[in-house]
Every structure is written in C-alpha cells, then in structure tokens.
C-alpha cells in the first residue's frame, strides 16, 4: 500500500505501517553511518545527550558524496544497515522510530524493532543520484570531524522507501522469498 508520512512521526502512524508498504517521507530525517553510530552509542552509555531529538525520528544510513555546484547534496544512496546493528537497539529504546538503509538486520535488531514499535525501511541502492533529488535541505549538525559520516539534518520531500520490517516483525525479505518459492 502507498502511504505518505510526515517525519518526525508518532507511534500510532508507525503501528499502521506494514511490511511491503511503499512510503513517501516528507519532513526532517537524520543521516548517520558507522562512526556516528559508535559515537552516539558511547555518548549515551556515558550518560550524555544525543546531538538531535531522536524521539519519533528516522535515520538514513547515508554518507553522501560531495554536492556539485547548485546541488543541495551529492549522491544519496543507502549503505549496508547491518553495520549499525550493534548500536540500533539502544537508539530504538531512546525513541528512534525508523531506519532507512539496505540489506538484512540481525535477530537482535528485529526483536528491538518489535519491542520498541519501529520500522526498518529500504531505499534502493544504485539510485543515489535520483534519491538526492528528494532532499531539499542538508546541514551538518554534529561530528563534522567525521566528514561524509557526520550527522546531517535533511529536509526531504516525498523520499521513496519500502517498509521491510514492520512493528510486528513481518520481514519482506523473508515473505517475498517464500512467495517466490510458491
């Protein structure tokens, strides 16, 4: 089913999403990859605060290429999500509601998605140049020393993603494979 979602969002909206839904996200999302996740994880474990309000937010596993003149951001394709699995359950427990990346997630992350009422979405790898057209603003807000892995606040308009794992633990990677076998 096709759905248009404003981000940040609420538990009620997230709970209505199902594996296989096509989402168009509009609003504010954040980028973070391996190094930023590690730093956020360490900050939380030391009793510190995250550099942005994570409640109801989505994170895009993205390290964009440099913007060309006249562009807001360079190519904005997803990175492999499993590299963030170690850090994800803690961030979900702090209010993160959605993740955007590519590839499978660990059983621990799937359990945390169900427990915390979140979703995991996929953006299509290889379409980074097209996805970047849905980003209307980009600003580094934390960890600028990490270069492309710095945390960015993005304002997106109709960013297309597919729900892979929903709040019930339904996993499109598994159900699609089973459906194909039939």
């Amino acid at each position: 089913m096709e759905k248009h979602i404003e981000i940040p969002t609420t538990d009620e909206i997230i709970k209505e999403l199902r594996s296989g839904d096509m989402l168009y996200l509009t609003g504010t999302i954040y980028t973070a990859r391996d190094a930023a996740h590690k730093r956020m994880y360490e900050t939380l474990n030391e009793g510190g605060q995250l550099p942005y309000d994570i409640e109801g937010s989505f994170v895009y596993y993205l390290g964009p290429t440099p913007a060309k003149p006249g562009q807001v951001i360079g190519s904005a394709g997803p990175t492999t999500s499993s590299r963030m699995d170690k850090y994800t359950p803690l961030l979900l427990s702090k209010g993160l509601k959605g993740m955007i990346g590519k590839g499978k997630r660990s059983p621990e992350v799937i359990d945390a998605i169900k427990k915390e009422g979140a979703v995991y979405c996929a953006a299509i790898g290889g379409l980074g140049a097209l996805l970047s057209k849905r980003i209307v603003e980009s600003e580094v807000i934390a960890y600028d020393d990490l270069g492309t892995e710095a945390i960015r606040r993005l304002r997106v308009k109709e960013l297309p993603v597919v729900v892979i794992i929903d709040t019930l633990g339904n996993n499109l990677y598994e159900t699609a494979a089973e459906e194909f076998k039939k």
Side-chain angles (χ1 to χ4, degrees):
M1 179 173 284
E2 182 178 303
K3 297 182 179 181
H4 298 260
I5 305 291
E6 290 285 328
I7 304 298
T9 192
T10 64
D11 287 337
E12 293 76 25
I13 291 172
I14 291 295
K15 287 177 184 174
E16 292 176 9
L17 303 177
R18 291 293 169 256
S19 178
D21 284 351
M22 182 71 195
L23 303 184
Y24 292 90
L25 305 176
T26 298
T28 300
I29 64 175
Y30 298 89
T31 68
R33 285 185 48 164
D34 318 38
H37 271 75
K38 182 176 188 281
R39 198 171 288 177
M40 288 189 294
Y41 183 84
E42 290 168 348
T43 297
L44 287 171
N45 282 329
E46 293 167 2
Q49 297 293 315
L50 293 177
Y52 65 93
D53 183 6
I54 198 169
E55 187 69 35
S57 72
F58 270 56
V59 63
Y60 188 4
Y61 302 141
L62 164 67
T65 62
K68 293 179 182 172
Q71 291 182 324
V72 171
I73 197 168
S75 184
T79 195
T80 304
S81 302
S82 62
R83 295 198 313 251
M84 275 53 77
D85 281 2
K86 173 181 177 181
Y87 314 111
T88 300
L90 178 61
L91 295 174
L92 289 170
S93 76
K94 299 298 181 185
L96 181 66
K97 286 295 160 194
M99 301 151 288
I100 304 165
K102 66 180 181 182
K104 293 183 177 184
R105 303 310 298 265
S106 70
E108 295 79 17
V109 169
I110 295 170
D111 287 345
I113 287 170
K114 293 188 308 189
K115 178 183 178 193
E116 304 298 342
V119 292
Y120 169 58
C121 301
I124 299 173
L127 293 182
L130 292 174
L131 291 169
S132 70
K133 305 284 187 219
R134 300 298 183 159
I135 299 168
V136 295
E137 288 179 17
S138 172
E139 174 188 12
V140 173
I141 62 162
Y143 313 149
D144 58 347
D145 61 305
L146 297 178
T148 60
E149 291 202 31
I151 294 179
R152 288 173 168 72
R153 178 179 20 233
L154 303 179
R155 194 164 59 83
V156 298
K157 185 168 182 177
E158 299 288 311
L159 181 73
V161 299
V162 176
V163 177
I164 301 299
I165 303 170
D166 62 27
T167 59
L168 302 174
N170 298 313
N171 187 333
L172 186 62
Y173 291 145
E174 293 173 358
T175 57
E178 289 302 316
E179 193 62 32
F180 179 76
K181 287 179 187 177
K182 291 178 186 176

